[in-house]
Amino acid sequence: MVISIACLTVGVLMFLIQKNWIVVCWNFWAVESDTPLQKKDASTRKKVKIYFWKDDKFKHEDTVIIWSGGNNNENLKHLINAWLSTQLDEKIFTKKIDLEYVAVSANDQEVFISLNQCFAWGEWSIFRKYQLVESLLKTINNAAPEISFISLLVNGKILEDSHLSFLQQWPIDGFRN
């Protein structure tokens, strides 16, 4: 009878430990690490609006991206990749465009965005091209209001277009009132 009760008690304890209802911490000696602890930025899920120009008006799609507290480069990479995906999903782009890199200036106000190829907007009107860029500006401004200017690059070089000039940085507020 004693052995049965002991086995039942040990079995119940093992079950509770396995289900993490009881946590056992064995600390026989202090463990010291030679490597310093690194503080990791807390990443959270952030709901953002991704803007696009369709049917002669701005529309937006709400999406959730990973947002890190102190890493503007990674935050903007996630945001711009979501914007590019939305443009493809909404059939604004006919082929996939990939983000090469995002570089943020030291004062966190200027952003350089490099894509792997130019937008396929050969027969687009100037207005439609402008609205595409404006949708990117609105998306970034909504998610990261501390940004003031962006520069669009293709393969690390200034984006070239016969109608719009990308030689100077575009203000994040855009040119619309």
Side-chain angles (χ1 to χ4, degrees):
M1 183 74 158
V2 174
I3 294 175
S4 296
I5 292 174
C7 287
L8 178 66
T9 304
V10 169
V12 169
L13 282 174
M14 295 305 279
F15 174 78
L16 294 175
I17 291 171
Q18 181 184 16
K19 295 294 183 180
N20 288 330
W21 292 347
I22 295 179
V23 177
V24 177
C25 180
W26 303 99
N27 193 6
F28 294 117
W29 59 86
V31 177
E32 293 184 24
S33 174
D34 293 338
T35 59
L37 296 175
Q38 294 179 353
K39 182 181 175 187
K40 293 187 177 184
D41 292 329
S43 295
T44 59
R45 297 174 59 175
K46 182 176 180 179
K47 187 176 180 180
V48 295
K49 292 180 192 253
I50 306 294
Y51 289 93
F52 56 95
W53 180 260
K54 191 170 187 179
D55 300 329
D56 294 331
K57 61 182 170 183
F58 279 112
K59 296 181 180 183
H60 67 83
E61 183 177 294
D62 292 333
T63 189
V64 176
I65 62 172
I66 296 174
W67 199 262
S68 175
N71 195 342
N72 249 353
N73 278 352
E74 286 300 314
N75 294 341
L76 289 170
K77 277 184 188 176
H78 294 300
L79 181 66
I80 294 167
N81 278 325
W83 180 80
L84 289 168
S85 295
T86 301
Q87 304 300 316
L88 190 62
D89 292 344
E90 293 295 327
K91 309 256 187 285
I92 295 168
F93 292 161
T94 55
K95 59 183 178 177
K96 188 174 185 326
I97 297 174
D98 293 321
L99 178 67
E100 284 186 332
Y101 65 85
V102 173
V104 180
S105 67
N107 61 4
D108 284 341
Q109 292 187 350
E110 300 167 1
V111 176
F112 300 89
I113 301 166
S114 183
L115 306 171
N116 70 333
Q117 60 186 328
C118 188
F119 303 120
W121 58 14
E123 299 300 318
W124 287 17
S125 68
I126 298 171
F127 183 73
R128 187 172 170 204
K129 291 178 184 181
Y130 170 74
Q131 296 300 26
L132 175 71
V133 175
E134 189 74 27
S135 70
L136 175 61
L137 295 172
K138 284 176 69 95
T139 300
I140 294 173
N141 190 24
N142 188 7
E146 67 275 4
I147 305 296
S148 299
F149 299 98
I150 70 162
S151 293
L152 284 174
L153 310 169
V154 175
N155 295 321
K157 298 177 183 164
I158 295 173
L159 189 143
E160 293 181 16
D161 184 64
S162 58
H163 299 118
L164 299 177
S165 174
F166 293 94
L167 294 174
Q168 294 183 355
Q169 296 177 330
W170 285 59
I172 201 72
D173 296 334
F175 295 104
R176 305 185 91 204
N177 292 332

